[in-house]
Amino acid sequence: MPDRPEAEKIERLMQHRLDQWREAHSQFETVDSFYGGTNELWAEGLRETRPVSHSNRARQVIDGAVNTLLAAAPSVTRPPAGEGEGHEAKADKIELFLEAVFEQSSLAEPLLPWKQIAKYLVGYGYTVIEGPILNVGEEKPKRGAGETAEEWELREAQWENDRKNTCFVRLRSPNPASVLLDPWEKRPRDAVVLRRMERGKLQDLTEKKVKTRKYAERFDAGEDLYGLVDVVEQWDRAWHAVKLKGGNMLYMERDTWGYVPFGHGYAGFGLPGSSLERSSPAEMAQGILHGVLDALKRLDQGKSALHNSLINAGFPPFGTTMENAGRIMQALAQGAAIEGVKPEDVWWMKFPEFQAWMFKALEDEDREIETATFSLQLAGFREEGVKTLGQQLILSQAAHRKFMAAGTQLDYLATNWASNVLRLVDTLGEKVTVGGHTIGPEDIEHDYTVKVEFELIDPVLQMQKQELGMREVQVGLKSKETYWADDARLADATGEQHRLAEDRLRQHPAYINMMMAEAAKKRGMMELAEMFEADARKAIEVLRAQTTPQPPAVQPQGGM
């Protein structure tokens, strides 16, 4: 078990990890500047005289790739923990529960976490996921002095309603530069987190910890409640500690969850170098723009020149041989007549015209960027010369291969997160409800196996797959459950069986006659109701005769 945290050891670990990640963090800042359109286009001596016009090409590449990775909501698959229908029913419950947790925990955050996680993965070539973190929520309110019973009941009911509609775990998508993990470990054994908090909020947090933790110290915010202060968190499988950056420890507590609530992964766009002396995570943490940064810069330089020429052509400065240039300029701006001025006395300056090869150069730059990053075919644009759906599908599938490694990493992070959700429910030892779906430790059975996928589904191919699956079921080559799981992508197979059974029940004559009898009674048609009830009893007798086993026929005795 790891030793109890110490402020000095946390500070040393933080500095070591910052040194490890320094080069990668510098690359992240470069990507930020291209994505935000703030990168420098010209050398220092030219910035004052040359125009700047940033395109949205870098943003288009990253956002388009993210939309490709997250084309669908996550699908959850839980294998039964044992044999029998009971285990299958529990697996179905867990699938529905986890899908609700994914939805509720995502909607509880200001930014949709999975989209942000995928954006970091594509843009930086590296991403971090935080969670599941137990969402404690607000404490149950206490009745205040002078508060009426009606006021107290209303406030308590509001708290209870908020508690029911709040997901019990949180999912966060921190910027990878703020979470320092071991770059070489898939499942980190510790984590150092850099946060910036309002002084008043930190004071409130430490006051609560002082009341409930053995090792805690109150932070005094003073009068500046809204100023920011830097804090450092350290997690391992035994402890969670929080300290001021460069200062003292604020509190520490046992990590009873059994896992470090952080995961990370690389997109696979980078290539680790062969030199052991220069081994750095910066070689692996390379985003989709890494190889085309110069091309993006050249494209923006060309677009800046083109835009500048367009402005010059539309609003050219004029020259004149006359002395009253100011009056002439004013008259031209107002569209007024100018007396005593001949056409040869005034002229507009001419600038070099853009040649066809210049536009071709810009097209070549754009094509190079598209070839190396995100194909516009994935955004719905059809390639020139492609006329059939089959041709477009082949090109689209080839373009998708670029993101297979990143997609696999995203699936893994989601799978590990969902597995830890089950581990947390098991550790809590009580039933948990999210989105109307409830599970408890007895459903999990100490088995945290689960699989999550952000699978891209083509509607046309999905329809063809379902049609083929139905034919296979009809001829006996495939079971209905396999069809529901693989072809129809139905998560709750057990529930579907119950719903089908209810459909068959509603179609039975006995059920139909009983319902019609109830309807007749409500309208006061008692004679008609008795007729329907009699027909229902006859249908039941027919069903009983069909299901009652008959004794074997007695063979006659004797002979000739």
Side-chain angles (χ1 to χ4, degrees):
M1 178 179 292
D3 297 333
R4 195 172 70 186
E6 297 178 9
E8 184 180 350
K9 289 183 179 179
I10 295 175
E11 201 75 20
R12 288 203 304 267
L13 178 60
M14 177 193 72
Q15 194 57 53
H16 169 66
R17 291 285 164 75
L18 283 172
D19 292 340
Q20 277 185 312
W21 287 97
R22 194 174 308 281
E23 187 179 353
H25 290 174
S26 178
Q27 293 176 176
F28 297 168
E29 291 175 0
T30 300
V31 172
D32 291 342
S33 68
F34 275 83
Y35 186 82
T38 60
N39 58 298
E40 296 288 354
L41 295 185
W42 309 107
E44 189 171 350
L46 302 174
R47 291 172 189 169
E48 298 296 327
T49 59
R50 292 194 176 179
V52 174
S53 179
H54 287 96
S55 68
N56 69 337
R57 197 70 176 92
R59 183 182 291 266
Q60 182 187 46
V61 168
I62 292 177
D63 290 349
V66 170
N67 292 336
T68 299
L69 282 175
L70 290 180
S75 62
V76 182
T77 304
R78 159 74 175 199
E83 298 292 335
E85 292 186 4
H87 291 290
E88 292 180 1
K90 290 179 180 179
D92 291 338
K93 281 178 62 177
I94 290 174
E95 289 175 354
L96 295 174
F97 173 82
L98 288 176
E99 287 180 355
V101 171
F102 270 102
E103 180 182 9
Q104 296 295 327
S105 62
S106 296
L107 294 177
E109 301 301 321
L111 287 173
L112 292 177
W114 288 110
K115 183 163 188 178
Q116 202 64 24
I117 289 166
K119 187 169 288 190
Y120 290 138
L121 186 63
V122 171
Y124 296 161
Y126 174 74
T127 196
V128 172
I129 178 175
E130 180 179 0
I133 299 289
L134 188 63
N135 188 14
V136 178
E138 296 183 3
E139 296 180 357
K140 186 174 183 177
K142 298 179 180 179
R143 185 171 179 175
E147 191 174 23
T148 66
E150 184 178 350
E151 291 173 339
W152 160 239
E153 289 176 2
L154 177 60
R155 197 157 60 90
E156 187 180 34
Q158 290 173 341
W159 174 85
E160 184 65 27
N161 182 67
D162 290 341
R163 187 182 68 85
K164 288 180 179 179
N165 291 288
T166 300
C167 187
F168 80 109
V169 291
R170 296 194 65 176
L171 165 65
R172 293 175 180 152
S173 54
N175 189 293
S178 67
V179 181
L180 307 175
L181 304 173
D182 188 334
W184 319 115
E185 292 287 341
K186 184 69 171 182
R187 288 195 173 189
R189 290 175 291 181
D190 57 58
V192 177
V193 188
L194 309 179
R195 300 193 192 276
R196 183 164 287 179
M197 298 181 63
E198 290 182 2
R199 298 172 63 86
K201 290 183 178 180
L202 183 59
Q203 177 177 290
D204 293 342
L205 175 63
T206 54
E207 285 176 349
K208 292 179 181 179
K209 295 298 182 181
V210 166
K211 297 176 182 178
T212 58
R213 300 293 184 267
K214 182 178 180 180
Y215 309 100
E217 179 180 319
R218 179 181 180 273
F219 173 77
D220 186 4
E223 297 182 358
D224 184 11
L225 298 179
Y226 303 105
L228 299 178
V229 59
D230 291 324
V231 298
V232 181
E233 285 187 57
Q234 194 256 333
W235 288 85
D236 57 40
R237 294 179 182 176
W239 292 95
H240 171 224
V242 177
K243 66 179 292 293
L244 294 173
K245 187 176 182 181
N248 59 294
M249 185 79 75
L250 293 176
Y251 66 87
M252 65 182 76
E253 55 193 354
R254 291 281 186 181
D255 179 5
T256 59
W257 302 340
Y259 59 89
V260 176
F262 291 91
H264 65 157
Y266 300 94
F269 299 134
L271 177 66
S274 58
S275 173
L276 295 179
E277 296 180 358
R278 198 190 169 280
S279 181
S280 166
E283 297 174 333
M284 297 185 292
Q286 295 181 1
I288 196 170
L289 301 181
H290 189 83
V292 295
L293 292 177
D294 287 341
L296 287 167
K297 185 175 180 180
R298 293 193 299 268
L299 179 66
D300 284 354
Q301 288 175 338
K303 296 253 177 124
S304 298
L306 178 61
H307 179 69
N308 191 57
S309 296
L310 180 64
I311 296 298
N312 287 336
F315 308 96
F318 81 99
T320 180
T321 57
M322 304 182 70
E323 295 181 356
N324 53 352
R327 182 178 66 84
I328 296 174
M329 180 182 295
Q330 185 177 3
L332 288 172
Q334 297 175 351
I338 308 174
E339 297 180 1
V341 179
K342 299 177 182 179
E344 59 267 22
D345 294 333
V346 179
W347 68 89
W348 280 265
M349 295 189 66
K350 293 184 178 180
F351 296 90
E353 295 183 358
F354 255 67
Q355 303 297 319
W357 65 266
M358 298 179 180
F359 291 98
K360 180 65 166 57
L362 288 178
E363 291 177 3
D364 290 343
E365 293 287 3
D366 196 67
R367 187 66 174 177
E368 177 186 343
I369 294 169
E370 181 179 351
T371 302
T373 57
F374 172 74
S375 173
L376 291 179
Q377 295 169 13
L378 298 178
F381 293 89
R382 177 167 291 189
E383 184 80 11
E384 186 177 352
V386 176
K387 299 180 180 180
T388 68
L389 178 62
Q391 291 173 330
Q392 183 72 16
L393 185 61
I394 291 172
L395 293 176
S396 177
Q397 289 177 340
H400 269 109
R401 295 191 185 101
K402 186 186 297 293
F403 304 103
M404 287 181 63
T408 300
Q409 287 284 37
L410 196 63
D411 292 346
Y412 168 79
L413 291 172
T415 296
N416 191 48
W417 188 86
S419 178
N420 283 334
V421 169
L422 298 182
R423 185 188 303 271
L424 188 56
V425 173
D426 205 15
T427 303
L428 293 174
E430 59 186 30
K431 290 184 178 294
V432 178
T433 301
V434 177
H437 301 283
T438 303
I439 66 168
E442 66 277 7
D443 299 309
I444 298 171
E445 300 179 290
H446 304 300
D447 184 351
Y448 314 128
T449 306
V450 68
K451 182 179 181 180
V452 182
E453 292 181 293
F454 292 91
E455 187 177 358
L456 177 64
I457 301 173
D458 185 283
V460 176
L461 294 180
Q462 178 66 17
M463 187 180 300
Q464 293 175 348
K465 187 176 182 181
Q466 288 182 357
E467 291 177 355
L468 177 61
M470 284 189 289
R471 289 198 294 267
E472 290 176 333
V473 171
Q474 290 171 356
V475 298
L477 296 177
K478 181 183 290 187
S479 69
K480 287 184 178 180
E481 287 198 17
T482 302
Y483 170 78
W484 289 334
D486 296 344
D487 302 332
R489 303 180 59 81
L490 185 67
D492 186 14
T494 303
E496 188 67 17
Q497 288 178 337
H498 289 307
R499 289 187 287 272
L500 287 173
E502 290 176 359
D503 283 346
R504 290 192 291 270
L505 174 63
R506 295 188 187 99
Q507 295 169 7
H508 195 274
Y511 182 90
I512 295 173
N513 282 291
M514 290 300 294
M515 295 300 294
M516 294 176 70
E518 289 293 328
K521 289 179 181 178
K522 289 180 180 179
R523 293 180 176 271
M525 306 168 69
M526 305 309 295
E527 185 177 353
L528 185 60
E530 291 177 0
M531 293 175 62
F532 284 133
E533 288 177 344
D535 290 340
R537 287 191 292 271
K538 291 178 183 178
I540 293 173
E541 289 299 326
V542 172
L543 179 63
R544 183 178 291 116
Q546 292 174 347
T547 57
T548 302
Q550 299 294 327
V554 179
Q555 297 295 329
Q557 299 294 324
M560 297 292 297

